[in-house]
């Protein structure tokens, strides 16, 4: 329906399925039928995705975007042919870049898991809408995306501070928090999409959710040691 619906994760999934190139065709800029101007979202998403591709060693030319109307048949045909030609010249994905098939899959899986985090961190830039296309050239820099993906944060529940109020586990959008009544809550780092909801939701008087960066997340408390002993019952 709209190029703005093409999520970053769709593009990464296409590459992980082995597609050699992805081309997105959107309506002409400023001619969107809706107030949302989804084609601008598609453009910023593509620019971000290209930097992510560079970060994992993929040639960013494998992703293309252009804007046209339903009446631009010839333009569409020309662009499609041009793009296909370029992708054929680039050759099979990964092989041309010297990345092993399995390694590429795992890199793409790693970064796909971070999509909600990346989108949240770059939300403001992803929503930018400039009148001049040249202003988009340096919207995202390689250094910026490299550091974003290098210094990924994690969330960790401090077992000493957790009071098992269960607010975080109820609000976690991906059910990544194991808990229950009177049980210290624990984040499953494999499931966590780093949305930060638990950090926001944990009542300040407990302040049990910590943000961790640049060091490993401590191991989870063993299941048999998760029961909270209230002071009054000690
Ligand atoms: S950051 Fe917290 S709320 Fe968000 S997915 Fe991870 S555990 Fe769940
Ligand atoms: S919101 Fe905070 S105190 Fe409540 S269960 Fe989660 S981590 Fe523990």
């Amino acid at each position: 329906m709209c190029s703005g619906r093409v999520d970053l994760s769709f593009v990464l999934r296409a590459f992980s399925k082995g597609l050699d190139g992805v081309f997105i065709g959107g309506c002409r800029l400023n001619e969107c039928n809706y107030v949302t101007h989804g084609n601008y979202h598609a453009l910023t998403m593509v620019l971000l995705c290209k930097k992510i591709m560079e970060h994992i060693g993929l040639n960013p030319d494998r992703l293309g975007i252009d804007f046209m109307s339903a009446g631009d048949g010839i333009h569409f045909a020309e662009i499609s042919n041009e793009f296909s030609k370029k992708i054929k010249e680039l050759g099979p994905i990964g092989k041309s870049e010297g990345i092993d098939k399995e390694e590429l899959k795992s890199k793409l899986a790693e970064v796909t898991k971070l999509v909600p985090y990346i989108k949240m961190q770059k939300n403001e830039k992803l929503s930018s809408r400039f009148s001049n296309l040249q202003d988009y050239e340096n919207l995202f820099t390689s250094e910026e995306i490299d550091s974003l993906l290098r210094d990924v944060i994690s969330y960790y529940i401090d077992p000493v501070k957790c009071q098992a109020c269960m607010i975080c586990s109820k609000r976690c959008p991906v059910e990544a928090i194991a808990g229950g009544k009177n049980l210290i809550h624990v984040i499953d780092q494999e499931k966590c999409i780093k949305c930060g909801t638990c950090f926001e939701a944990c009542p300040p008087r407990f302040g049990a959710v910590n943000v961790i960066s640049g060091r490993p997340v401590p191991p989870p408390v063993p299941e048999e040691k998760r029961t909270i002993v209230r002071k009054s019952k000690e």
Side-chain angles (χ1 to χ4, degrees):
M1 187 65 185
C2 175
S3 55
R5 179 67 185 96
V6 185
D7 193 76
L8 180 55
S9 58
F10 299 174
V11 180
L12 296 171
R13 188 167 69 208
F15 287 130
S16 74
K17 295 263 181 200
L19 268 77
D20 297 323
V22 173
F23 175 81
I24 298 161
C27 298
R28 284 186 196 153
L29 293 170
N30 299 316
E31 291 185 13
C32 181
N33 286 318
Y34 307 102
V35 288
T36 46
H37 288 276
N39 41 11
Y40 277 98
H41 283 278
L43 174 60
T44 54
M45 182 278 292
V46 163
L47 295 173
L48 173 62
C49 192
K50 279 176 177 283
K51 293 295 174 196
I52 294 173
M53 291 167 74
E54 272 178 31
H55 178 84
I56 59 177
L58 276 182
N59 190 324
D61 290 345
R62 293 187 180 278
L63 176 60
I65 185 165
D66 214 316
F67 307 96
M68 63 208 76
S69 82
D72 288 334
I74 294 175
H75 180 57
F76 175 63
E78 282 171 356
I79 285 180
S80 304
N81 288 338
E82 222 173 86
F83 186 73
S84 303
K85 193 170 159 235
K86 185 164 68 184
I87 298 302
K88 275 182 191 150
E89 280 166 8
L90 288 179
I93 191 164
K95 205 172 173 191
S96 319
E97 286 96 342
I99 316 175
D100 171 75
K101 208 174 166 185
E102 288 311 310
E103 188 193 349
L104 178 61
K105 267 205 158 193
S106 107
K107 281 183 171 187
L108 285 164
E110 247 337 275
V111 85
T112 302
K113 220 182 107 196
L114 295 174
V115 165
Y117 169 73
I118 296 170
K119 279 164 64 178
M120 207 169 52
Q121 295 291 321
K122 296 296 158 194
N123 184 32
E124 209 175 303
K125 285 193 178 184
L126 283 167
S127 310
S128 50
R129 196 175 144 207
F130 305 124
S131 48
N132 190 343
L133 271 185
Q134 278 171 347
D135 291 339
Y136 282 98
E137 262 173 35
N138 296 317
L139 184 65
F140 299 104
T141 65
S142 305
E143 296 73 33
E144 171 190 7
I145 301 305
D146 288 348
S147 103
L148 176 75
L149 296 174
R150 193 183 49 237
D151 308 325
V152 175
I153 57 165
S154 299
Y155 292 90
Y156 169 72
I157 295 175
D158 185 335
V160 179
K161 291 184 178 171
C162 179
Q163 292 302 306
C165 70
M166 301 199 283
I167 295 175
C168 60
S169 55
K170 282 181 191 151
R171 299 220 187 139
C172 176
V174 291
E175 298 181 1
I177 304 178
K181 209 176 164 200
N182 289 328
L183 289 178
I184 292 169
H185 284 44
V186 170
I187 296 176
D188 181 336
Q189 299 297 331
E190 282 304 304
K191 285 190 189 167
C192 174
I193 56 168
K194 304 177 196 302
C195 69
T197 304
C198 53
F199 181 73
E200 302 287 333
C202 184
R205 64 183 186 283
F206 303 141
V209 183
N210 294 337
V211 181
I212 291 190
S213 172
R215 65 184 167 95
V217 178
V221 181
E223 272 185 46
E224 64 280 8
K225 292 188 178 164
R226 289 187 192 167
T227 306
I228 293 179
V229 181
R230 308 278 173 200
K231 282 208 167 69
S232 55
K233 290 183 184 168
E234 267 177 0

